Amino acid sequence: MKTSRILGTVTPLLLTAGTLAAAEKLYTYAFKRINYIPDASDYMQKYASLYYSHVDWVQARPDLDVWELTTPDNAHISALWIPHPHSKKAVIVGHGYKGTGITMSNYAHMFYNLGFNVLMPDDRGHGDSDGDYISFGWLDRLDYLDWIQHIITKLGDDSEILLFGTSMGGATVSLVAGEPTLPRQVKAIVADCSYTSLDDELSYLIRKLFHLPRNPLVPMASFINYRRLGYPFKVVDVTKALTHNRRPLFVIHGSADDYVPTWMAQKNYAASTGPKDLWIVPGAIHAESYWIDPGRYQQRVSDFITPYFK
């Protein structure tokens, strides 16, 4: 065999092997669980003192409880529960990428002050919940349906439930909103800085962070995810899920968000068919909207959800 023919045969194999290795590295970087909470960015460190005051408030509560469930695929999932006396209202607070329930303490405190019982799950691949990989809301959406049933069992059939989340948590509650079996007790959804789809978000980030094109890394990483978790990236489509949502939806996003770009909020908002509102917070970067003005944030959320709760 001539040398040119040998090179013509071997070179595509080497390129494929190298690309597959790069896709595996990308997948491990983005999806593999870590057993610690990453530090906030230098910019967000200015809110650290206020953030930890909310964490202390949650952890010091004598009525703080741990809820657990075992999923149909035999995963152990954990959540923190803060009961509110004499209230039938409850909120499930979805955390962001590589966070945990406790990292949402500021929102938990806010909703408790608004009269809600609060559930703060650790999603799969995070905190005290099982999972070697992060599912970016897709498997978590089914776990949230189970959490909703737990709340209804706890508070009764006349309970009223709000779904709230930031970043990946916003995507998760939006995916839940598109489920056909969503119980009637769920009255509204608030999604802060959610992405439109897993494919969109990964494609955006590899361009921004690594200056690489979508192809072939994202499709190959999707194939790896299919082999590991049982589904391709294309099914994790938040915008598509919201086309099936009829419940009130409040979309919040920072105008300076360069991690999940603002156009994603606008696309998700447009997709939902029920009552809705969109708040683009001037100057806010990713997940900063609350911290810029906590009082205004609480008021805007309260103004939107109050008509849908008794």
Side-chain angles (χ1 to χ4, degrees):
M1 183 180 292
K2 293 183 179 180
T3 301
S4 60
R5 291 183 63 189
I6 294 174
L7 291 175
T9 302
V10 172
T11 299
L13 295 176
L14 292 175
L15 290 174
T16 300
T19 305
L20 183 59
E24 177 65 41
K25 188 172 182 179
L26 170 66
Y27 185 79
T28 299
Y29 172 81
F31 287 78
K32 184 73 172 177
R33 81 172 291 150
I34 58 174
N35 292 312
Y36 62 90
I37 300 171
D39 292 335
S41 67
D42 291 341
Y43 181 85
M44 294 292 283
Q45 287 290 339
K46 62 186 177 182
Y47 303 117
S49 178
L50 183 56
Y51 164 77
Y52 282 110
S53 72
H54 294 296
V55 172
D56 291 343
W57 177 84
V58 171
Q59 294 180 330
R61 295 193 61 83
D63 54 357
L64 183 65
D65 196 8
V66 176
W67 284 14
E68 297 178 341
L69 65 84
T70 301
T71 67
D73 61 344
N74 208 36
H76 170 266
I77 310 296
S78 181
L80 297 176
W81 171 255
I82 304 173
H84 195 291
H86 314 301
S87 177
K88 291 284 190 175
K89 297 188 298 183
V91 59
I92 300 178
V93 179
H95 65 75
Y97 176 66
K98 294 186 177 178
T100 62
I102 198 67
T103 64
M104 303 297 284
S105 293
N106 55 309
Y107 302 104
H109 200 171
M110 178 185 79
F111 283 114
Y112 185 88
N113 288 341
L114 291 174
F116 284 80
N117 297 272
V118 183
L119 187 72
M120 307 157 67
D122 287 352
D123 289 350
R124 294 183 184 225
H126 298 81
D128 292 329
S129 293
D130 286 349
D132 294 328
Y133 297 97
I134 298 167
S135 81
F136 284 84
W138 185 246
L139 299 179
D140 306 300
R141 84 193 195 287
L142 302 178
D143 301 335
Y144 278 42
L145 290 175
D146 287 341
W147 286 129
I148 290 168
Q149 291 300 329
H150 275 58
I151 291 172
I152 294 170
T153 299
K154 177 74 173 180
L155 300 181
D157 286 341
D158 57 343
S159 57
E160 297 179 306
I161 299 172
L162 172 68
L163 303 179
F164 171 89
T166 63
S167 193
M168 187 183 77
T172 303
V173 298
S174 298
L175 290 168
V176 177
E179 287 297 301
T181 59
L182 190 62
R184 59 177 174 78
Q185 286 85 355
V186 175
K187 302 300 182 182
I189 300 95
V190 179
D192 187 335
C193 58
S194 165
Y195 41 81
T196 49
S197 71
L198 180 52
D199 193 298
D200 283 348
E201 180 63 9
L202 284 181
S203 299
Y204 169 79
L205 287 177
I206 66 167
R207 287 194 303 270
K208 173 179 168 53
L209 299 178
F210 306 114
H211 309 292
L212 295 171
R214 175 186 180 275
N215 296 324
L217 289 180
V218 172
M220 294 185 78
S222 176
F223 176 73
I224 294 170
N225 193 71
Y226 177 77
R227 296 295 298 271
R228 303 272 169 85
L229 297 182
Y231 58 91
F233 290 167
K234 67 180 180 180
V235 303
V236 191
D237 192 330
V238 174
T239 305
K240 182 178 179 180
L242 287 173
T243 64
H244 303 291
N245 175 54
R246 303 292 183 270
R247 288 170 172 79
L249 172 71
F250 187 24
V251 175
I252 304 171
H253 216 100
S255 69
D257 193 336
D258 63 355
Y259 188 76
V260 177
T262 307
W263 65 262
M264 293 191 178
Q266 295 162 337
K267 187 174 180 180
N268 285 342
Y269 169 79
S272 188
T273 58
K276 57 187 177 181
D277 194 11
L278 173 64
W279 181 28
I280 304 298
V281 180
I285 65 168
H286 188 65
E288 192 193 15
S289 296
Y290 168 90
W291 299 106
I292 285 180
D293 189 341
R296 187 177 184 215
Y297 190 99
Q298 176 173 317
Q299 190 61 56
R300 288 293 299 258
V301 170
S302 179
D303 288 346
F304 180 81
I305 66 175
T306 294
Y308 308 108
F309 290 80
K310 295 177 183 177

